Amino acid sequence: LDVSSFVKYPVFKAISSLFGYSNLLSPICAIAATIGIYCLTVFFIRSRFPVNLIKEAPKKVLGISMVGGIAAAVLFMVSECVREAVMRSEPCLFAAALAVWTFVLLSTAFTANGFAKTTIVLLTAALAGVGLADNAVFLMLVPLYLFGIYKIYNESGKKPWGIFFAFAVVSLLAFVVFSLVGAGGFGQYLLWHKSVFKGFINFRNKSWFAIFLLTVLPFLFFLFTLRRVFLSKGNVLLVLYMLTMSVFSILAVFTPMSPFGLMKSSGYLPIYTTLFASIVAGGTVTFWFSRVRKEMIEVVNKSFMPIVSSVMLGIFAVLFLFTTIFSIVNFDKSVGAFADFAAE
C-alpha cells in the first residue's frame, strides 16, 4: 500500500490504538455525542428562561428543558448520518463528540467562580486545540467559543479580553504539540488540512449552501432569539416565526433535504450540521410543548396557541416514527460487510 508520510488524524489515531484500530470507537463516540447533545440542549434551553422563574419553578423549567434535550439527542442518534458513521472508523464522529463536550465543559463556567471559571475556560481551550489537530472544523467553531466566553465574563461584569488572549495561546499550543508529535510530515499535514478547510468554505458547492441555509443559519437564529421566543406572548408573528423554524427543522431532519441526503452521493458524512439540525429541532419541539398548556410557563397564551402547538407536536411525532421505520427497513446492510468479512 502507498502509505502517506504524515498522519491526517493524529489524536483520532492515538485513541483508536486503544481499541486495536477497530471501528468500536465509533459507537462509543456516537453515544458520547448523543449524551453531550442532551446536556448542551438542556443547558441552552434552561438558560433562556428568566432567573426568577428558574428559582420559583425549577422543576417546571427543568422538565421543559429536558423535553428539548431528549428530542435533540434522539433525533441525532437515529439519523441516517450517525447510523452510517458508526458502521465505520469515522474521524468526524470523534471530532463531533469532542466538540460537543468542549461546549458542555464551557457551559459549566457560567456557574463557577474565580479560579475555577478560568481553569474551565483554559481546559476548554486545550481540548479545542487538540481537536483542531485532528479537524479543521474546530477553527470554524472559534466564534462560538469566543461568544460563550464573552457571555460568561460579561454576566460577572468583567472584560473578557485577557481570557480571549489566554484561550488563543493555550489552544494554539495544544494544536502545535499534538500535531507535531503525532502528524509526522508536518508540512504535508498542514497542506492537507488547508485543503479540507477550503472544502468547508467552498461557496461554489450548492449542497453546502443548502445545508448552511437549513441547519447553520437556523441554529444561529435560535442562539440569539430563543430567550425572546420563550418569553413572548402568543401573537401571530411569534407563531409565524416558529412555524418557519419548524419547516426548516422538518426539511433538515426528516426529508432528502437533510445534510446527509444532500451529501450522500459525495460519500462525505455531514456529522456537524446534522448535530446543529438536531439541536434546532429539539428547541422547536420544546417551544410547541411549552405552549400546549397555558400554565406551562408564565406568559399570556392566545387561545389558538395550544391547538397549533398540539398539531405541530403531532406532525413531528408522525414524521419521526415514519422516517425511523422507513430508514430501518431500507438500511443498507452491505455497509460494513468488508469489516465483517475481515473479522471472520
Side-chain angles (χ1 to χ4, degrees):
L1 295 177
D2 182 17
V3 180
S4 177
S5 61
F6 72 100
V7 178
K8 297 176 181 178
Y9 306 103
V11 182
F12 178 72
K13 179 185 176 183
I15 301 298
S16 295
S17 66
L18 301 177
F19 298 88
Y21 298 104
S22 68
N23 65 341
L24 180 62
L25 180 59
S26 290
I28 295 174
C29 290
I31 294 171
T34 301
I35 296 173
I37 289 171
Y38 168 80
C39 296
L40 196 59
T41 306
V42 169
F43 165 80
F44 180 60
I45 294 175
R46 185 175 179 273
S47 65
R48 300 300 92 186
F49 289 97
V51 176
N52 63 319
L53 183 57
I54 295 175
K55 292 181 178 179
E56 293 172 7
K59 292 183 179 179
K60 183 190 298 184
V61 173
L62 180 61
I64 295 174
S65 304
M66 288 175 66
V67 169
I70 293 171
V74 170
L75 289 173
F76 178 79
M77 179 177 62
V78 302
S79 66
E80 286 187 87
C81 186
V82 173
R83 289 207 320 276
E84 185 90 8
V86 298
M87 299 299 293
R88 63 179 78 170
S89 185
E90 182 53 55
C92 289
L93 192 55
F94 170 76
L98 179 59
V100 168
W101 278 99
T102 58
F103 283 103
V104 173
L105 176 63
L106 187 62
S107 68
T108 62
F110 281 90
T111 55
N113 295 309
F115 179 75
K117 179 182 296 187
T118 303
T119 302
I120 291 171
V121 172
L122 295 182
L123 182 57
T124 302
L127 291 175
V130 170
L132 183 58
D134 253 25
N135 204 300
V137 74
F138 280 85
L139 192 60
M140 302 180 72
L141 294 176
V142 169
L144 292 179
Y145 286 122
L146 297 182
F147 176 73
I149 294 170
Y150 171 80
K151 293 291 291 183
I152 290 169
Y153 283 86
N154 186 59
E155 289 186 1
S156 58
K158 296 180 180 179
K159 300 295 183 181
W161 315 122
I163 199 68
F164 278 173
F165 178 75
F167 183 92
V169 170
V170 172
S171 58
L172 185 61
L173 284 174
F175 163 74
V176 170
V177 169
F178 274 84
S179 56
L180 280 176
V181 170
F186 190 63
Q188 290 178 284
Y189 164 84
L190 289 180
L191 288 174
W192 183 81
H193 275 285
K194 180 182 177 181
S195 68
V196 172
F197 185 72
K198 281 186 176 180
F200 279 132
I201 58 175
N202 182 8
F203 296 107
R204 296 180 182 178
N205 190 322
K206 295 180 180 179
S207 295
W208 274 121
F209 178 77
I211 290 172
F212 177 83
L213 185 66
L214 291 173
T215 60
V216 180
L217 200 59
F219 176 79
L220 294 176
F221 268 99
F222 250 52
L223 186 65
F224 294 105
T225 65
L226 197 57
R227 181 186 294 272
R228 185 174 297 178
V229 163
F230 274 114
L231 298 181
S232 296
K233 298 180 180 180
N235 54 46
V236 176
L237 288 178
L238 175 65
V239 173
L240 290 176
Y241 175 74
M242 290 308 302
L243 285 175
T244 302
M245 297 298 292
S246 298
V247 170
F248 276 81
S249 292
I250 289 171
L251 290 174
V253 175
F254 301 113
T255 74
M257 292 292 289
S258 68
F260 179 77
L262 291 171
M263 299 298 293
K264 189 174 183 178
S265 60
S266 69
Y268 179 78
L269 296 179
I271 300 289
Y272 318 111
T273 47
T274 299
L275 190 154
F276 284 147
S278 300
I279 292 177
V280 173
T284 305
V285 168
T286 304
F287 171 81
W288 295 121
F289 177 77
S290 69
R291 260 46 179 195
V292 170
R293 298 173 60 186
K294 295 182 179 180
E295 65 270 19
M296 287 298 291
I297 54 177
E298 295 180 350
V299 294
V300 180
N301 283 286
K302 299 293 184 182
S303 59
F304 62 83
M305 282 299 293
I307 299 175
V308 175
S309 301
S310 299
V311 171
M312 291 307 302
L313 286 175
I315 291 174
F316 271 96
V318 170
L319 287 172
F320 171 73
L321 289 175
F322 175 78
T323 54
T324 301
I325 294 172
F326 179 81
S327 60
I328 291 175
V329 171
N330 292 275
F331 183 67
D332 185 4
K333 296 181 176 61
S334 65
V335 176
F338 177 76
D340 293 337
F341 174 77
E344 292 176 0

